[in-house]
């Protein structure tokens, strides 16, 4: 708290993220609206002039080219932009590094790809992608101008004389930026971005915040809530300002004034409809995970594109075959003409085909019309869709939606779920109205219940969906009904399928070591020693540079325990025992040390390290840099190294950091290091160079005993958001390491 | 997950808590409504027949007796029930044990006292207390039938033969109850209870959940959210069912259809009004913390009662003096007669006095009338209150509210804040309407903004207040306005006063060591050794019973590190050095050990302890009890001890546990222990009895190094919800302990 310059910058940043997300939502909405309109007009013109075949040809051509474009974008430009993206954002916020997930590339691919995907007739919506887009915007906006500021520092860093003066002259002092982009801060901004994305998608600021808290974020606190709220509110404001009404990409408005509902009497029906819709949601999840096994492998460059094309053909086929088989023409009401709603297909002039209208029109309009069913208006309003058409539509939609979800095309699930749920609910409501005509049963209300319940069944979020639906419909008077629908559907769906769609995807993706809040149940019976990886790759306090290089090259760990090796004789053979753990050093610290040639002579004694340096390995305590250096003024060279270590993660973003594995970065370091003693880059010369690791390592490492219960290890790991933890025996000798992967692997093995 | 019997029981429990809270809210509401009505009628009658003096006498008599009753209840029956109670519940959920906070006594005192407090004309509301009541209901419902089940086990425990058979015969097996009432579970239920309380108070299920998450809970996760949601929904349902409409104790309904609002044009005015109202909220907080220094000390039994009486006299004085000085009679509209609204005071028959009406009527009705101001109705509706009366009322209310908040009477701040905010907002709106008559400024809308902004300024919650106001008014169309009001007022109020009302109270109460999410900023520059308490009270692995008794008697710690003492000679004097830390034993474990006379002979060797036993000190791993005992079947005596240790905290509730300090419980143990060797209770005989502490201690303790940054210690402590943590040097020798108090004290010293 306290409104310093830093806080103000963060405020402005938050509002900018929200505003930009809102603006992107507006652009996408306009593009999709006009595109769909254009496509429908083309098809209608072709149907009229060229007949059914011509219409199909035109429609299929447009759709297929869009699908090929979208899936090509995913396959060749940005693989991370496939699907909804919420799952990956969720994994990122849990602490998993996913290369390129939140890059500019992904942002562009997502915006363009989602628009193309939605326009291509596939049963995908723009809401899930909006969440990903919001997260990308947050990451992109917070990264670049900071990186550049550090580049500047880096370039001046070598020229040591100017360094401190330059630093003071800047109004934006470096500390501001270090704090701005600590990992934790960026994660908070990304949380706020997801909130803004969903808020823009539904025009639901509070719903967005709740979604970010309930679904996306793994770490909650009061500050994150407030930041999400500000960001979501500014996104909604910008969007509302740009298009004049306060709705989002998908509006659920339509259901109004159900004046004569006997709530008590109808509650059993509502529970029934909610239960059945929840069941459909659960069935969709089952279908989705069953289909996942038959999907084209992502590693192949073209198979996913072919898959997307096939799915698109099936979808377009449905669009034409079903209305053709079940032709149902009705007169087009006057107000529809003004709205340009209703698709003629093969009907007479001035009529519309029910099934074709539902398929070809924009989903938003169709949902609105379904929710309006049974409304008490003055002009004796006829229901626009009959039970038969709705039934056909709902069935076909479940199929094409299951196919589309998981294809290599950017696109989300919210809108399709609402579409499916509302059409199914309307069928049910309409049936109930037919059976009990005196009960004033309003199909639109049941459509809302159905939509809510399918959302609940698919996503298993609770309050966020309630709030999104309440905000989306603007109908606070239905809040109790919506709550009942959510509770019932959550229960029913959990009987059919264990997980929500996101958890299911996370479980399936073996690359993602997602840590749930609670330890898996078998963990309470095993100990830390059962889950740890026993191969400990450690360094000595004074280590040969060549060995450090080797360790860095051959492993992909991020942290290395530091301990002395004690040689002793066990019978005949000499055995090397591990000494007590002295500290932990990070991969990034080692790289900086090598780069700066911090070598000492082989026989040099370890100098006693000043206590103020002990903290330096602590990534989280960025603030302590300036204040803690009071004991003895460090040399400017030490200062540069210190700063570089702290800012390593900001300068090299996640993906580059892992490139080290491929030794490309390391090769540079090797050359640089060798340059001190000779011109050749061979490792031999490095054998004589020692690095004083103990000077830079983090001495206050958190360790656990090997007898500690695995559940406790899990809890500590998760609560503190650790990446590695050292397991020791009762004499503090390291016996193993626990990483995220260890916690996941042993879990899945035992399942 | 997985719907086992345990999960089902928890579900039923959650719904029961919600339902009972809703029922209590209904009872309280009826009592308050009828009570207020009766009181107003009495006063009106007295005014008519006895004149001003008689009216005052009657009113003052009723009010004073109620205040004396309520404050007497607080002072002599249940001191924990004073005030709103939200602060204390918040502290409880942060992990602080407050004796009697959630007992049946407090529940009864709170229900009766709040009703009396509200009826006594003091400016207090029933909403804060409802939160406390919900929490009490949760604690009370989850505690008793479990305690009794354990008592049974205890009584059969001594008679070892029957124990296992009895255990299996029960359908409700003991494990179910152990899990039900682990500390963590109970905290979750209490969170759910607070959600239910607020949901019932405002008829706002989602608002209740958000309040529980944003304000009350310190530990959030998905499961807690879902439980809160279920509980809040069931409370709202029950309340809505009982009184037919879906409003809570306080309804904000009234503002309807502001059709002609030019949002864009009026936004600057709205921001202005929100800012000023936020300022008032901040000023109230300043006043409140300033007055806190002059309050009667709670330790005195009668002074707080006298204080409450004085405050009540001042309040009743306002009620009579202000309407008398600023008499403003208006004709009473017809619909008011039906509602029995409007207070005649000294006006003619068929008229009402504006100021008196606001003071004497139920606050809910008055708020409703204020929010309706400026509504476009058919019959050319006159505003019920003039600017002058509203102005006088708002000023007086700020004063009496500041006085009442903090008195020794149960009562909350929500309703008074709304009252103050809406009257102030209405004044502003009405002024704006006067100055720009063509802009269609609706004072009711500004009243809503004012109410929201004052709430925001006083409480500094953000989304929960937005949702509560949206749900309370049923006006989702105002959501943007409400968000602006909250954001502006939060910013303005933070300039005036640093903390929200709850944080301020927590800071002031030195008994409560409340840990915020983030470490205080000076902590990043100091080390663990600077905050730890250096006096370590430890035990040896094999310790004399007499020393254990002494340690338990003379200290109030809950955990004791276990280490060997190494005697060596430092120069001339023999020095006792601490050996390496071996484990940690809890006070409760020691008490059980003493009670069960687990003594070994002085010269006995330590037996190697089976590894399965290592987990036994772990309070959180209740589930491991049955499963982990596979290695070697423990004797039934060991089983009993094991079970008792685990269930200690359930059998002796928080307050009884701390009575140990006063040695009353210990005396029993001493006698029991001494009983083995002799009949006298002297400690001398215990000198020869040793307790094998190492057999029961927790070997996998989390320790930190003394060089670790204090901020890191704080983060670990807070994230894992610890109560004590051992600080060690680099050889694992304990050098200090960190407890909650240590983290707080050093913080407040440095501030």
């Amino acid at each position: 708290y306290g409104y310093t310059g830093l806080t103000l910058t963060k405020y402005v940043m938050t509002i900018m993220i929200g505003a930009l997300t809102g603006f992107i939502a507006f652009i996408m909405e306009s593009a999709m609206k006009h595109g769909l309109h254009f496509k429908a007009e083309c098809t209608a013109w072709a149907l009229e002039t060229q007949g059914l075949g011509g219409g199909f040809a035109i429609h299929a051509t447009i759709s297929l080219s869009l699908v090929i474009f979208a899936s090509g974008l995913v396959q060749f430009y940005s693989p991370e932009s496939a699907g909804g993206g919420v799952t990956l954002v969720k994994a990122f916020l849990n602490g998993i590094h996913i290369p390129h997930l939140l890059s500019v590339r992904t942002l562009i691919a997502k915006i363009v790809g989602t628009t193309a995907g939605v326009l291509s007739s596939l049963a995908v919506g723009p809401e899930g992608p909006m969440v990903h887009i919001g997260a990308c915007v947050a990451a992109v906006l917070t990264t670049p101008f900071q990186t550049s500021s550090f580049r500047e520092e880096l370039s001046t860093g070598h020229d040591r004389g100017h360094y401190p003066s330059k630093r003071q002259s800047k109004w934006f002092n470096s500390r501001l930026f270090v704090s701005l982009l600590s990992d934790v801060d960026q994660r908070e901004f990304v949380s706020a971005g997801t909130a803004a994305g969903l808020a823009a998608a539904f025009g639901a600021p509070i719903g967005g915040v709740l979604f970010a808290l309930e679904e996306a974020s793994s770490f909650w606190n009061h500050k994150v809530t407030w930041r999400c709220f500000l960001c979501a509110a500014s996104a909604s404001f910008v969007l509302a300002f740009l298009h004049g009404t306060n709705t989002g990409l998908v509006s659920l408005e339509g259901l109004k004034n159900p004046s004569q509902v006997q709530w008590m009497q109808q509650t059993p029906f509502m529970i029934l409809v909610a239960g059945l819709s929840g069941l459909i949601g659960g069935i969709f999840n089952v279908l989705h995970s069953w289909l996942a096994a038959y999907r084209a492998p992502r590693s192949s460059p073209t198979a996913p594109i072919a898959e997307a094309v096939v799915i698109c053909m099936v979808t377009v086929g449905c669009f034409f075959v079903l209305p053709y088989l079940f032709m149902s023409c009705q007169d087009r009401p006057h107000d529809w003409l003004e709205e340009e709603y209703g698709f003629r297909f093969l009907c007479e002039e001035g009529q519309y085909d029910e099934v074709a209208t539902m398929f070809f029109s924009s989903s938003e309009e169709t949902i609105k019309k379904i929710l309006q069913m049974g409304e008490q208006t003055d002009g004796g309003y006829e229901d626009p869709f009959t039970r038969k058409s709705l039934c056909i539509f709902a069935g076909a939609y479940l199929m094409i939606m299951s196919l589309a979800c998981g294809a290599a095309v950017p696109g989300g699930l919210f809108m399709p779920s609402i579409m499916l749920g509302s059409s199914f609910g309307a069928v049910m409501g309409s049936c109930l109205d037919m059976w009990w005509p005196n009960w004033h049963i309003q199909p639109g209300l049941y459509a809302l219940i159905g939509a809510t319940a399918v959302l609940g069944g698919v996503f298993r979020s609770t309050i966020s969906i309630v709030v999104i639906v309440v905000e989306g419909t603007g109908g606070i008077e239905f809040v109790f009904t919506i709550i009942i629908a959510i509770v019932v559907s959550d229960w029913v769906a959990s009987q059919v399928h264990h997980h929500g769609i996101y958890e299911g995807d996370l479980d399936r993706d073996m690359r993602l070591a997602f840590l749930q809040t609670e330890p898996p149940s078998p963990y309470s019976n095993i100990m830390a020693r059962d889950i740890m990886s026993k191969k400990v790759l450690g360094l000595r306090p004074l280590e040969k540079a060549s060995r450090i290089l080797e360790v860095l090259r051959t492993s992909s760990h991020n942290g290395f325990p530091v301990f002395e090796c004690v040689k002793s004789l066990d019978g005949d053979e000499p055995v090397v025992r591990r000494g007590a753990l002295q500290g932990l050093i990070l991969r990034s610290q080692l790289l900086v040390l090598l780069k700066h040639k911090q070598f000492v002579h082989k026989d040099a004694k370890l100098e006693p390290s000043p206590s103020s340096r002990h903290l330096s390995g602590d990534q989280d305590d960025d603030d302590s840099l300036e204040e803690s250096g009071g004991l003895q003024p460090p040399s400017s060279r030490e200062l540069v190294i210190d700063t570089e270590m702290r800012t390593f993660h900001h300068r090299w973003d996640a993906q580059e950091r892992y490139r080290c594995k491929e030794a490309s970065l390391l090769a540079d370091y090797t050359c640089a290091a060798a340059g001190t003693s000779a011109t050749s880059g061979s490792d031999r010369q490095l054998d004589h160079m020692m690095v004083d690791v103990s000077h830079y390592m983090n001495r206050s490492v958190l360790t656990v005993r090997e007898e500690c219960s695995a559940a406790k290890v899990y809890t500590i790991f998760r609560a503190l958001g650790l990446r590695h933890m050292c397991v020791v025996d009762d004499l503090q000798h390291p016996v193993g390491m626990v990483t995220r992967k260890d916690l996941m692997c042993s879990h899945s093995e035992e399942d």
Side-chain angles (χ1 to χ4, degrees), chain A:
Chain A
Y1 248 65
Y3 287 80
T4 61
L6 179 63
T7 319
L8 190 70
T9 318
K10 286 190 183 178
Y11 262 58
V12 172
M13 204 77 134
T14 309
I15 291 173
M16 268 173 57
I17 293 169
L20 189 56
T21 309
F23 181 71
I24 291 175
F26 177 70
I27 301 281
M28 284 175 67
E29 193 196 9
S30 310
M32 286 188 284
K33 202 166 142 190
H34 292 110
L36 269 181
H37 192 83
F38 174 76
K39 199 172 137 190
E41 292 237 313
C42 283
T43 315
W45 170 82
L47 274 172
E48 207 165 333
T49 56
Q50 319 281 320
L52 193 61
F56 180 79
I58 287 282
H59 193 91
T61 312
I62 300 175
S63 298
L64 282 181
S65 46
L66 284 167
V67 159
I68 291 170
F69 172 68
S71 57
L73 211 59
V74 166
Q75 285 298 312
F76 298 113
Y77 184 70
S78 166
E80 288 75 22
S81 65
V86 181
T87 314
L88 293 181
V89 172
K90 195 176 163 166
F92 171 82
L93 291 174
N94 190 255
I96 303 167
H97 271 293
I98 302 163
H100 300 290
L101 176 66
L102 300 176
S103 62
V104 184
R105 246 178 130 90
T106 312
L107 178 59
I108 294 168
K110 202 89 193 185
I111 296 173
V112 180
T114 304
T115 313
V118 170
L119 288 178
S120 74
S121 307
L122 283 184
V124 292
E127 291 75 25
M130 271 313 299
V131 172
H132 190 171
I133 288 169
C136 280
V137 167
V140 167
L141 271 193
T142 46
T143 308
F145 80 95
Q146 183 201 27
T147 315
S148 69
S149 126
F150 275 118
R151 280 210 189 108
E152 198 183 325
E153 233 172 63
L154 251 183
S155 59
T156 57
H158 286 283
D159 171 348
R160 262 164 271 150
H162 294 283
Y163 185 65
S165 66
K166 176 130 198 175
R167 202 173 189 183
Q168 282 157 358
S169 71
K170 278 194 286 190
W171 181 79
F172 280 111
N173 64 31
S174 75
R175 205 190 136 202
L176 194 145
F177 290 104
V178 175
S179 308
L180 238 184
L181 268 233
S182 83
D183 267 16
V184 175
D185 273 320
Q186 193 175 31
R187 213 181 287 148
E188 283 178 17
F189 279 116
V190 171
S191 285
T194 60
L198 204 84
F202 286 98
I206 304 167
V209 177
L210 284 177
F211 182 82
L213 293 183
E214 197 182 2
E215 276 299 324
S217 296
S218 295
F219 299 94
W220 291 1
N221 67 50
H222 201 275
K223 206 175 69 189
V224 177
T225 311
W226 168 242
R227 187 156 295 163
C228 288
F229 180 63
L230 204 63
C231 199
S234 65
S236 319
F237 276 125
V238 168
L239 189 61
F241 178 76
L242 286 174
H243 70 158
T245 59
N246 52 7
T247 57
L249 292 191
V250 163
S251 157
L252 297 174
E253 281 182 10
L255 181 57
K256 292 264 180 276
N257 315 319
S259 45
Q260 305 186 328
V261 180
Q262 279 103 10
W263 296 101
M264 272 318 189
Q265 247 178 20
Q266 294 197 20
T267 302
F269 292 155
M270 290 174 182
I271 292 177
L272 181 76
V273 172
L276 288 175
S277 309
L279 190 67
I280 291 179
I283 288 173
F284 168 77
N285 282 3
V286 173
L287 264 179
H288 174 69
S289 50
W290 179 76
L291 278 172
Y294 300 96
R295 297 265 171 208
R298 282 292 157 84
S299 47
S300 145
T302 47
I305 298 182
E307 186 199 357
V309 167
V310 171
I311 293 170
C312 183
M313 286 308 297
V314 172
T315 308
V316 174
C318 279
F319 274 40
F320 282 84
V321 171
L322 290 177
Y324 181 74
L325 289 179
F326 307 96
M327 215 153 79
S328 49
C329 297
Q330 280 203 31
D331 285 337
R332 201 165 170 186
H334 280 291
D335 47 346
W336 286 27
L337 281 173
E338 289 161 30
E339 301 171 25
E340 303 190 343
Y341 184 76
F343 197 78
R344 190 177 144 200
F345 203 59
L346 303 177
C347 297
E348 300 291 310
E349 182 72 40
Q351 286 193 320
Y352 69 97
D353 186 284
E354 291 181 18
V355 182
T357 300
M358 284 190 268
F359 275 126
F360 284 96
S361 308
S362 91
S363 347
E364 192 187 342
E365 280 298 310
T366 305
I367 292 169
K368 195 170 171 178
K369 290 285 178 292
I370 293 178
L371 288 178
Q372 278 173 351
M373 279 174 68
E375 198 174 283
Q376 308 288 328
T377 46
D378 304 328
Y381 192 71
E382 278 277 302
D383 279 347
F385 308 113
T386 55
R387 274 180 293 281
K388 196 179 108 190
S389 327
L390 282 168
C391 221
I392 292 161
F393 177 76
Y397 210 84
L398 177 60
M399 193 190 71
I400 60 174
M401 175 182 161
S402 306
L403 287 174
C405 167
V409 167
L413 263 178
F414 275 98
M415 200 279 303
S417 304
I418 296 171
M419 202 69 171
L420 175 64
S422 58
S423 52
F424 175 76
V427 173
M428 296 295 295
S430 170
C431 288
L432 291 172
D433 188 31
M434 180 178 66
W435 295 327
W436 288 278
N438 298 326
W439 281 33
H440 300 290
I441 286 171
Q442 192 175 351
L445 182 60
Y446 285 84
L448 183 69
I449 294 172
T452 313
V454 169
L455 281 176
V458 171
F459 294 100
R460 306 287 164 80
S461 317
T462 51
I463 3 177
S464 53
I465 290 180
V466 172
V467 177
I468 288 169
V469 172
V470 166
E471 286 189 292
T473 53
I476 193 96
E477 62 265 44
F478 314 124
V479 66
F480 280 122
T481 319
I482 293 167
I483 289 175
I484 292 182
I486 281 286
V487 172
V488 171
S489 74
D490 185 84
W491 189 80
V492 170
S494 70
Q495 304 295 314
V496 179
H497 195 251
H498 195 69
H499 287 306
I501 192 98
Y502 298 140
E503 281 82 27
D505 280 353
L506 283 171
D507 264 15
R508 217 173 299 118
D509 195 335
M510 286 328 271
R511 293 172 306 155
L512 307 176
F514 188 87
L515 301 183
Q516 301 287 350
T517 320
E518 302 205 348
S521 50
Y523 271 32
S524 46
N525 307 329
I526 58 176
M527 282 183 258
R529 73 158 73 97
D530 301 325
I531 53 167
M532 70 189 185
S533 60
K534 286 180 187 78
K535 198 173 148 270
V536 179
L537 210 58
L539 299 172
R540 279 172 297 169
L542 192 67
E543 184 63 272
K544 281 182 197 162
S546 56
R547 172 150 155 78
I548 294 181
L549 264 181
E550 193 199 317
V551 163
L552 288 181
R553 277 209 196 111
T554 54
S555 75
S556 61
H557 299 310
N558 260 316
F560 302 95
V562 179
F563 47 85
E564 231 8 301
C565 286
V566 185
K567 279 177 193 157
S568 66
L569 283 176
D570 186 14
D572 286 342
E573 289 172 288
V575 180
V576 179
R577 288 233 175 75
R578 293 170 187 152
L581 181 73
Q582 299 195 9
L584 194 101
I585 192 138
L586 299 176
R587 168 176 284 264
S588 58
Q589 291 177 306
L590 291 175
L591 287 174
V592 173
L593 281 179
L594 288 180
K595 185 182 164 207
H596 280 267
K597 307 150 197 163
Q598 279 297 87
F599 301 135
V600 291
H601 195 265
K602 203 172 178 175
D603 306 316
K605 291 276 169 206
L606 281 178
E607 16 168 350
S609 23
S611 58
S612 69
R613 196 49 46 82
H614 293 166
L615 298 170
S616 95
D618 240 332
Q619 278 186 50
D620 297 336
D621 304 338
D622 285 344
D623 291 334
S624 61
L625 170 60
E626 261 97 344
E627 293 90 337
S628 68
L631 286 180
Q632 51 176 65
S635 73
S636 56
R637 185 192 176 93
E638 276 179 334
L639 236 169
V640 172
I641 293 180
D642 214 56
T643 312
E644 278 205 29
M645 281 186 183
R646 280 165 200 294
T647 58
F648 189 88
H649 288 263
H650 309 319
R651 284 178 296 114
W652 311 104
D653 43 357
Q655 46 269 34
E656 288 193 68
R657 203 189 312 174
Y658 287 100
R659 214 189 277 162
C660 306
K661 248 186 292 187
E662 300 140 51
S664 72
L665 218 77
L666 269 180
D668 299 350
Y669 284 124
T670 316
C671 293
T676 49
S677 54
T679 42
S680 106
S682 119
D683 283 7
R684 292 262 167 84
Q685 274 128 340
L686 287 172
D687 274 358
H688 300 285
M689 305 312 297
M690 309 293 275
V691 176
D692 181 4
V693 173
S694 68
H695 203 80
Y696 295 95
M697 71 189 181
N698 175 6
R699 281 171 187 260
S700 58
V701 206
L702 205 68
T703 58
V704 283
R705 295 273 279 267
E706 54 180 337
E707 303 99 344
C708 185
S709 113
K712 199 168 166 185
V713 173
Y714 190 101
T715 311
I716 295 171
F717 209 89
R718 174 65 171 72
L720 299 176
L722 301 179
R723 292 191 189 283
H724 32 66
M725 187 153 66
C726 199
V727 183
V728 296
D729 63 9
D730 40 355
L731 293 168
Q732 284 293 99
H733 299 161
V735 294
M737 290 290 280
V738 173
T739 61
R740 223 164 225 288
K741 285 262 157 63
D742 295 320
L743 289 176
M744 278 312 285
C745 295
S746 48
H747 171 203
S748 46
E749 274 163 27
E750 269 163 325
D751 259 5

